Structure formats: structure tokens, C-alpha cells
Amino acid sequence: MATENATALPARQPAWPGYVAAVAALGYAAPHFWWGAGIAAMFPGDFASAPHGNLEAAIGYWVMGVVAVFGAVLSLALVRPWGRRIPALLIAVPSGIAAIGMTLWGFMYFAMQYMISVGRVVSAPAFAAKDAHPQAAWGLFWYALFLVWGITLGIAAWQRLRARRVATGAA
């Protein structure tokens, strides 16, 4: 009988969180690539006033798009058989840290929007025009995507760590 070095996920732990996190990551990556190409669709604010053709635009669009694609691969590695060949701590710990950051980033946006809507805080003058732009409503979608991505990535990372404990016999 041949033994395999991969850690198997227990049957009761579903793979859907990794898949949802990967879709959210690709959903974040795609517009960054088209924004980098100069297409304004779904941009959360005034695209004309956003940086174009400089290092700031390259990092903001292209590098963030590539990082998000890497995040999709990482999300899949948490739940796919080929990813189980990567040590659990090496993949689950950075994923968990990223999940916490993305979840907090998304949550804080909605908390800030709530505080603005009830009049507890006022946008800084530098951001007031951006916040009033009709395209700013896309921010709700993008930050909700961060929440979905962060929560599902965190679940997938947690499951991967639990699978490691089961495989090593630790309770």
C-alpha cells in the first residue's frame, strides 16, 4: 500500500470556503486589471481624478491585481489536494493573518459609513468630493467583497489547521 504525504481534510469539513475566497479574490483582481488598462467600469469614485500612467497606478492596479490572483491560488491551496502538500502552518497562518486584516478592513469601512450617515463623523474636506461622487457607491460592493473574502479565507485556514491536528493525532 502506498502512503501519501498529503494531509487529507476530514470528510465533515467542506471545501466551499476556499472556493468562495478564491472567487472573491478573482472578483477583486479582475477590475484592477481593467482599471490599469484605463477602463473606468465599477471604479469606486472619480476615475478621471485617479492616478494613471505612473508608479502609483501600476502598484494600485496591476500589482494589487496580481496579489489578488496569488490570493486566489492560496485560497484554493487550502482546500485542494495539491495544496495539502504544503505544510499546514506555512499556508494557514499567513492566510489567517490576511483573513483578519481583510475582514477588519471591510468591517471598518461599513462602520465608518454608518458613522458618517448618522452624523457622528464628517468626511475630511479632501475626501468629501470623492465620497459624494455617484460612483462612490461601488465602495459598498468592494468592501463587502473584502468581508466575504476575509471571512471565507479565515474559515478555510481554520479548517486547514484543524485537519493538521486531526492528521497528527493532536486533539
Side-chain angles (χ1 to χ4, degrees):
M1 211 180 209
T3 60
E4 192 174 322
N5 291 336
T7 303
L9 283 175
R12 68 181 190 274
Q13 293 184 341
W16 68 264
Y19 292 117
V20 172
V23 169
L26 293 175
Y28 179 79
H32 281 78
F33 293 134
W34 73 59
W35 294 336
I39 301 168
M42 299 171 69
F43 190 79
D46 184 11
F47 189 71
S49 68
H52 300 286
N54 58 22
L55 182 61
E56 185 179 351
I59 291 170
Y61 303 137
W62 297 102
V63 172
M64 292 308 295
V66 169
V67 167
V69 169
F70 175 74
V73 173
L74 183 71
S75 299
L76 291 175
L78 289 165
V79 296
R80 297 294 301 153
W82 53 265
R84 294 185 197 122
R85 297 199 184 280
I86 302 169
L89 290 177
L90 186 62
I91 193 169
V93 171
S95 296
I97 293 168
I100 291 168
M102 287 186 289
T103 303
L104 288 175
W105 186 254
F107 176 76
M108 292 309 294
Y109 175 81
F110 286 103
M112 179 191 67
Q113 291 301 317
Y114 172 76
M115 296 299 274
I116 289 171
S117 70
V118 297
R120 298 288 292 169
V121 296
V122 178
S123 286
F127 296 108
K130 290 180 184 180
D131 290 342
H133 194 279
Q135 287 289 101
W138 278 108
L140 299 171
F141 174 78
W142 296 119
Y143 285 93
L145 191 66
F146 269 109
L147 277 173
V148 170
W149 186 6
I151 291 167
T152 56
L153 182 63
I155 293 168
W158 180 256
Q159 287 179 344
R160 180 63 192 273
L161 287 174
R162 286 189 59 191
R164 175 184 173 268
R165 279 185 272 184
V166 169
T168 60

